[in-house]
Amino acid sequence: MPCAPRHSHPPRLIGLTGGIGSGKSTVAQLLLQHTKAAIIDADQLSRALTAAGGAAIPLIAQAFGSSFITPEGALHREHMRAYVFHSPAEKKRLEGILHPMIFSTIEQAIKNASDQGHSHVVLDIPLLVESGHWRARLGQVVIIDCPVELQIRRVQQRSQLEQAEIERIIQSQASRQDRLASADVVIYNGDICLSALQTRTQAAAAFLGL
């Protein structure tokens, strides 16, 4: 007799997002360590699609040309970022290639998590508020919040980006006010230590039933 599925209902989906430098990835790792929820990193899945040998590479090369592909066969991120930043139409064309593939990959990851018995799945999605694709499917949205000045300082500490470039990235994302307006739960990650962030993350997880 075939085994019955471990869950007769699909897992509850919880969105996790925040601006660049907010600490979203750190919170996702804390949730992974301290809850039984499955964590799906949309950015990681996207990067796999555009890494050397990734499924999106042939389509990108066909649409934009080989100059946007590195000698190793991956997406030339810096070149593409600069190109689409000044051309909304080209950015939309790139998104037309990537977004359906990303959505399909995430859907498969959700199914895999459900098959493994997870009743809760946290979707770590950098542009969740901007996309508008996921909100109707999510039970709750968790926003990692911090002041813009702190976002800039953190990104400067971890990357070689100039402040002007960081500010342009922040301006291209949803505003702090728009993210907070979309939140069901806010984890404030200001100028605090990791243990304090862990405490706040665990409190949010308990509130969400994770």
Side-chain angles (χ1 to χ4, degrees):
M1 179 179 294
C3 295
R6 296 183 63 178
H7 290 288
S8 57
H9 300 289
R12 183 159 66 95
L13 304 182
I14 297 169
L16 174 69
T17 195
I20 186 173
S22 64
K24 175 181 60 62
S25 297
T26 301
V27 170
Q29 285 301 309
L30 291 171
L31 288 172
L32 185 62
Q33 295 170 18
H34 298 288
T35 74
K36 295 181 179 180
I39 311 295
I40 295 176
D41 186 335
D43 193 47
Q44 184 179 64
L45 295 178
S46 174
R47 285 181 174 274
L49 291 171
T50 56
I57 294 300
L59 295 175
I60 293 172
Q62 182 180 15
F64 293 92
S66 60
S67 64
F68 289 92
I69 309 301
T70 68
E72 296 74 25
L75 174 65
H76 195 310
R77 294 183 177 279
E78 292 77 13
H79 191 177
M80 182 63 80
R81 185 185 299 116
Y83 180 65
V84 301
F85 183 82
H86 297 288
S87 176
E90 293 300 278
K91 179 181 179 182
K92 191 173 184 65
R93 190 156 69 106
L94 177 64
E95 291 172 346
I97 295 171
L98 291 178
H99 285 184
M101 301 180 79
I102 294 170
F103 296 152
S104 177
T105 304
I106 292 175
E107 291 288 0
Q108 184 59 52
I110 293 170
K111 182 181 183 302
N112 292 344
S114 180
D115 290 345
Q116 293 165 11
H118 291 283
S119 60
H120 296 77
V121 173
V122 175
L123 299 177
D124 177 353
I125 302 178
L127 300 180
L128 188 156
V129 175
E130 294 86 341
S131 166
H133 175 85
W134 290 104
R135 188 60 184 95
R137 294 193 54 197
L138 300 173
Q140 285 89 20
V141 170
V142 180
I143 298 295
I144 313 305
D145 178 54
C146 73
V148 172
E149 305 77 42
L150 187 53
Q151 288 181 260
I152 294 171
R153 189 161 77 243
R154 285 172 175 163
V155 177
Q156 285 178 320
Q157 290 171 350
R158 76 185 191 200
S159 74
Q160 303 299 316
L161 293 177
E162 299 290 336
Q163 180 169 335
E165 176 66 16
I166 299 168
E167 290 173 347
R168 281 196 293 269
I169 294 171
I170 290 173
Q171 290 167 5
S172 72
Q173 297 180 341
S175 69
R176 185 181 183 188
Q177 291 75 19
D178 286 344
R179 277 195 297 269
L180 291 173
S182 72
D184 296 296
V185 175
V186 176
I187 299 176
Y188 180 70
N189 184 27
D191 198 4
I192 60 174
C193 63
L194 182 61
S195 62
L197 180 60
Q198 180 174 333
T199 298
R200 294 179 183 185
T201 300
Q202 288 176 315
F207 175 80
L208 293 165
L210 298 179

